Amino acid sequence: MAAYEIRVIGDPVLKQQAAEVTDIDAKLVRLVDDMVQTMYDAPGLGLAAPQVGVQKQLFVWDLGDGTGPHAMINPQIAESAGEWVYEEGCLSVPGLSWEIVRPKDVHVVGRDLDGNEVSYEATELAGRMFQHELDHLAGILLVERLDEDQARQARRQVRDLMLGFSEDPPPKRGLLLR
Ligand code: ZN
């Protein structure tokens, strides 16, 4: 398995809507293997295909609960409920994280690599991971989920990231999402 370079904010691929997966072939399975490797190398809890430059509705995840890694294609949020604040980061916005409010519980449906329908009821961290990865497939980065104050403060940091101005490597933070 080979690792990809993770695309960083400013790369246009991160702002595009990903296309539905129509064929589950050997090439897609290899892509998934390489995305899983890239996710573990990062390390992150999840990784969406656009983050490795592939415009497909596909993401992988492993929450470290012993059941992973997993992959889902063509996912959709069927239902969401509640509200939960969590400090969220993104491998495509390295070194930065913000407390972001999103629904606490989500019901996500999609397909696995055998083409079978899958359905997950997820809460808190797992629910957050799904919402974050689905945002990637819609071309949305977490900086678009910030409130006004956060966005104002983040502007310079994000601009520096986008222009590659960061002179020092970003500080390592605690448990962050992909
Ligand atoms: Zn992300």
Side-chain angles (χ1 to χ4, degrees):
M1 289 194 281
Y4 281 97
E5 191 174 326
I6 295 174
R7 304 299 180 93
V8 173
I9 186 169
D11 190 319
V13 74
L14 294 171
K15 298 203 78 172
Q16 293 162 14
Q17 167 72 44
E20 202 173 318
V21 174
T22 51
D23 291 315
I24 303 170
D25 53 15
K27 203 176 151 203
L28 190 84
V29 171
R30 186 173 325 125
L31 169 65
V32 167
D33 284 346
D34 290 345
M35 283 175 59
V36 166
Q37 187 62 50
T38 305
M39 171 180 75
Y40 285 148
D41 283 354
L45 302 179
L47 188 72
Q51 293 182 278
V52 297
V54 177
Q55 280 309 105
K56 289 195 164 123
Q57 291 181 28
L58 159 71
F59 69 98
V60 298
W61 76 95
D62 186 341
L63 294 171
D65 55 6
T67 66
H70 304 274
M72 202 191 305
I73 59 177
N74 303 335
Q76 288 187 321
I77 293 178
E79 233 177 312
S80 60
E83 207 176 87
W84 192 53
V85 180
Y86 181 73
E87 185 172 351
E88 194 172 326
C90 177
L91 293 174
S92 294
V93 189
L96 301 177
S97 59
W98 296 274
E99 297 216 323
I100 295 176
V101 188
R102 294 189 195 248
K104 184 179 180 188
D105 308 304
V106 288
H107 177 201
V108 180
V109 294
R111 290 189 182 270
D112 65 16
L113 287 184
D114 296 317
N116 297 319
E117 272 184 37
V118 288
S119 167
Y120 291 90
E121 303 271 359
T123 189
E124 298 191 344
L125 181 63
R128 182 59 60 104
M129 180 278 299
F130 282 123
Q131 293 174 78
H132 183 103
E133 302 310 332
L134 265 79
D135 266 3
H136 275 301
L137 303 184
I140 297 167
L141 287 174
L142 81 173
V143 292
E144 290 166 65
R145 300 290 188 193
L146 304 182
D147 66 30
E148 257 176 60
D149 284 347
Q150 289 173 317
R152 198 175 311 121
Q153 288 173 12
R155 206 158 288 148
R156 174 185 287 270
Q157 295 168 295
V158 169
R159 191 198 62 194
D160 287 355
L161 264 182
M162 290 177 73
L163 297 176
F165 280 174
S166 295
E167 287 173 12
D168 302 313
K172 285 271 183 207
R173 305 293 292 260
L175 178 66
L176 295 178
L177 291 174
R178 28 358 51 252

